[in-house]
Amino acid sequence: MVWNGVHFNLNTIIPWYVILIWTVLYFALLAWAWRPKEGRPFGNFKTIDFVYIALIAALLIVYNFFISPLIPKVGTVTTYFYYPIIGETFLVMLAAALVGKPGSAGLTMVIYTLLADIIHYGFGGEPFWFIYEVTSYAAIIDLWLIYRGKYYMIPFRGVFKGVTDSKVSSGESVTAEEFEEELKPAKALFVVDALLGGITISAAYPFWWRGFWGPFVLGISFTPSFWLITSIASIGAGAVLGLVVAPFIYYIKKVLT
């Protein structure tokens, strides 16, 4: 059976139920992170957040369809690691860093996929390409943002240091709003930010697409050994790429925010 270009081939390396569990888990945790707070839903996104997301999604289109194809490809190198992915790594991590809210990476990929379908791919295979792009390239970053939030891609974390001395000494009652927050060095978390972002985006194609989505939608197949080798190579390369782009993202975030 083929519907809208989808072959529904379940003869995949990654079992279908693993994909289902991962997808449901991601959207459930995202829904929890987006629960209304003080009457404001969707994780308190602001207008500037959507501007950042839309702008970076548009830059992703320009990079992937007009710049990346011009980068020389070295056969045996790009077989196991497609090094132009560094541009996508930088842009998706930048969107997550500038917005700093769970779902920012996923929203970036949704807009990117919509634009890509309009100008290049068409809508064959949908809605599954939307699910693939979001759960493969963005999900881990979005879930990490539940913990890191606005401190993603900066070597600090926020902590409550308490209340003013005058309040404490006088014995006055203190509300939650009167707690003060300060920054504490968190270089290890900054490194984790970079590693998770780089590995997630670099390994998305070899691990998730070759392991499930390519065979499921297009009906193609890959050998488990090729899938494993390319996934491992991309994980290692992604770790390096994440560390390479991290200082640039930190500088841009520092300037803009």
Side-chain angles (χ1 to χ4, degrees), residues 22 26 60 64 85 88-89 92-93 105-106 109 112-113 129-142 196-197 199-206 208-209:
W22 172 241
Y26 166 65
L60 264 175
N64 280 340
I85 196 69
E88 187 163 351
T89 302
V92 175
M93 290 175 62
M109 296 312 299
Y112 163 76
T113 304
W129 292 135
F130 278 100
I131 301 173
Y132 157 66
E133 295 282 356
V134 171
T135 58
S136 301
Y137 287 90
I140 293 177
I141 297 175
D142 281 337
L196 281 180
I199 292 173
T200 294
I201 299 165
S202 178
Y205 180 84
W208 295 108
W209 190 85

Side-chain angles (χ1 to χ4, degrees), residues 7 9 11-12 209-222:
H7 288 72
N9 172 29
N11 184 27
T12 58
W209 190 85
R210 289 176 179 152
F212 180 82
W213 291 105
F216 177 75
V217 177
L218 302 179
I220 58 179
S221 62
F222 300 92

Side-chain angles (χ1 to χ4, degrees), residues 17 23 61 71 94-95 112 115 132 135 144 163 184 206 210 223:
Y17 53 83
T23 302
I61 289 290
I71 301 175
L94 180 61
Y112 163 76
L115 294 176
Y132 157 66
T135 58
W144 180 240
V163 298
K184 290 289 187 181
R210 289 176 179 152
T223 62

